[in-house]
Structure formats: C-alpha cells, structure tokens
Amino acid sequence: MKAKELALEIAGAFAPTAVDVADALAHVAADKAVASLGSPQRAAVASLVADIGFKAWDASRLKETLQQGDVAAAVHEFPRWIVRDGKVNAEMAVRRAAEKALFESKH
C-alpha cells in the first residue's frame, strides 16, 4: 500500500482531522528526513500531522528526532500526542498506537 492509502486508512477510522490527509502527506514529504522514510513510516507521520496540524508538527520533538536521523527514537514520540484540552484523550491514544504500529511495520 502507498503512504497516502495507509494514512487515509488510519485517519478514516477516527474523528475529522485538523488538516486534510493528502495535505499532511505533502507537508511532511517536503522534509527530506521524512521523505527518506518508507511508505508506512511516512503514512504514520502524515496521519499524526493531519490530527495535530502543521504548527504543532513543525514544533514537535518527533520532527526534530527524524531530522537528526534517529528513526529508532522517533517511534517513541507518537504516544506523547494523546492530550487534548489538557486531558488524556482516549481516541487520540488509540490513534497514536495505530500510527506507532504502522511506523514500526515492515509493509
């Protein structure tokens, strides 16, 4: 499956996103550190970005970690994005777990 199809599959299972998945995929693919990842990894990052928005992504430790080339550490950043309005959000926790699993997969 291509990154866009994978990202749409995850995003489609959850509430509406802050950013269109295709726009999120284009945004993260413009970053050479993300562009060099495999399709499942790009899809996982795009799904996250679609949910949290461009501004949060651009300031995230996940983006910074990927730019440093530390893909192994990057996977541990997904679970950090489960708080909305100051509270742990169960839907976000499930979504991050799915994104993390996709990022770790060997599709």
Side-chain angles (χ1 to χ4, degrees):
M1 242 186 219
K2 295 186 178 184
K4 184 176 179 180
E5 294 166 338
L6 291 168
L8 285 169
E9 185 177 313
I10 288 178
F14 297 95
T17 58
V19 177
D20 179 73
V21 173
D23 291 341
L25 190 56
H27 186 79
V28 299
D31 185 311
K32 66 181 176 181
V34 177
S36 68
L37 296 173
S39 187
Q41 292 78 24
R42 286 192 317 273
V45 172
S47 177
L48 173 83
V49 173
D51 192 40
I52 68 172
F54 296 144
K55 186 176 179 180
W57 160 251
D58 288 337
S60 74
R61 191 177 337 183
L62 174 57
K63 180 179 179 179
E64 180 181 328
T65 303
L66 288 171
Q67 288 177 331
Q68 293 170 352
D70 194 350
V71 177
V75 74
H76 302 293
E77 293 298 315
F78 284 91
R80 295 178 173 273
W81 293 92
I82 61 169
V83 176
R84 182 166 283 151
D85 299 325
K87 297 178 182 174
V88 172
N89 180 291
E91 184 174 308
M92 289 178 77
V94 171
R95 183 175 180 151
R96 294 298 95 82
E99 292 161 349
K100 182 178 184 276
L102 180 60
F103 192 89
E104 293 175 310
S105 74
K106 305 292 184 213
H107 267 77

